[in-house]
Amino acid sequence: ETGVTQTPRHLVMGMTNKKSLKCEQHLGHNAMYWYKQSAKKPLELMFVYNFKEQTENNSVPSRFSPECPNSSHLFLHLHTLQPEDSALYLCASSQGREGGNEQFFGPGTRLTVL
Amino acid sequence: GQNIDQPTEMTATEGAIVQINCTYQTSGFNGLFWYQQHAGEAPTFLSYNVLDGLEEKGRFSSFLSRSKGYSYLLLKELQMKDSASYLCAALDSNYQLIWGAGTKLIIKP
């Protein structure tokens, strides 16, 4: 198993749909992250979970709802999205949040909102 | 506010050397990361600097000057596979990574 996996890899949804993105890490890490990556923009941190507890929510609209049932799994539930939410959604994990703990990224879910 | 600046795009020749610069302004500082991201793929870790100076790792080296809020990534003996985006990110006092928009590096034969 590769370190961080994400499903689905591609998703097209209408503005009234409800869908979920899934992330799983096989590295025994304690921290997990959701990022949004739009073309030619910096990575935007959306949510952080440390030991299954949400530690940050960077002013993300409520149409994005994270869930972390255990330290290996992270979900991002989507509902009533807008076309501007179309982007690459990346999941990452790290051993901890401090210092030089590098983040390991999954391949991302390419989301298109029609 | 917090900010990372790096060039949008650079072009270099196979076999040459290229230096990608990054300046940062953050609330506190706990280190600087460089990541490589090939088109359509996940970012992968290249280096982490928290002390001033140069860290060398094979063909890649990373430099940090905390007093100047400045870092660079040096790539030697460029290969075609080095064509990618290079992301600079600074860790602030809350251990949150502040990311630059990335530098797209184009390698020509």
Side-chain angles (χ1 to χ4, degrees):
Chain A
E1 278 284 13
T2 54
V4 182
T5 57
Q6 289 186 243
T7 54
R9 294 292 309 274
H10 296 86
L11 178 62
V12 179
M13 59 188 289
M15 289 191 285
T16 58
N17 291 158
K18 288 185 181 181
K19 296 287 184 183
S20 294
L21 309 184
K22 178 182 176 182
C23 175
E24 184 174 359
Q25 58 98 358
H26 309 273
L27 301 168
H29 288 167
N30 299 312
M32 295 188 76
Y33 312 78
W34 277 118
Y35 285 95
K36 176 183 178 182
Q37 188 174 37
S38 303
K40 300 183 179 179
K41 289 186 177 180
L43 281 171
E44 297 174 46
L45 179 64
M46 300 175 72
F47 302 104
V48 182
Y49 279 82
N50 201 25
F51 293 95
K52 301 188 299 177
E53 298 296 320
Q54 185 176 316
T55 57
E56 286 187 48
N57 171 348
N58 281 5
S59 304
V60 180
S62 59
R63 57 186 183 269
F64 295 91
S65 174
E67 179 190 359
C68 188
N70 56 61
S71 58
S72 298
H73 293 86
L74 188 63
F75 295 89
L76 188 62
H77 304 299
L78 317 172
H79 65 98
T80 58
L81 294 191
Q82 305 298 311
E84 60 264 29
D85 297 323
S86 298
L88 181 68
Y89 289 84
L90 290 164
C91 173
S93 72
S94 66
Q95 182 59 46
R97 294 211 57 212
E98 302 78 23
N101 286 299
E102 64 184 273
Q103 293 183 15
F104 291 79
F105 286 83
T109 295
R110 173 68 63 186
L111 174 67
T112 303
V113 181
L114 302 176
Chain B
Q2 306 199 94
N3 191 54
I4 303 282
D5 282 317
Q6 53 181 130
T8 304
E9 187 174 299
M10 298 181 72
T11 302
T13 305
E14 190 177 14
I17 299 173
V18 71
Q19 177 175 312
I20 303 174
N21 296 323
C22 170
T23 57
Y24 62 89
Q25 295 159 330
T26 55
S27 302
F29 179 74
N30 282 298
L32 189 126
F33 290 84
W34 284 96
Y35 281 78
Q36 180 190 59
Q37 186 176 23
H38 285 101
E41 297 182 12
T44 54
F45 170 80
L46 287 178
S47 67
Y48 170 71
N49 294 66
V50 67
L51 301 176
D52 285 355
L54 186 69
E55 298 260 353
E56 297 186 67
K57 196 185 291 186
R59 293 189 299 114
F60 292 10
S61 302
S62 56
F63 172 83
L64 176 68
S65 169
R66 295 178 66 132
S67 62
K68 295 181 179 178
Y70 168 70
S71 173
Y72 67 73
L73 182 69
L74 190 71
L75 291 75
K76 301 177 184 176
E77 301 169 17
L78 285 170
Q79 302 175 9
M80 297 304 293
K81 67 179 182 180
D82 298 329
S83 293
S85 286
Y86 291 85
L87 311 180
C88 173
L91 199 61
D92 72 8
S93 57
N94 293 321
Y95 295 103
Q96 179 170 321
L97 273 177
I98 310 301
W99 294 84
T103 299
K104 183 178 180 180
L105 178 63
I106 299 167
I107 309 296
K108 295 187 174 180

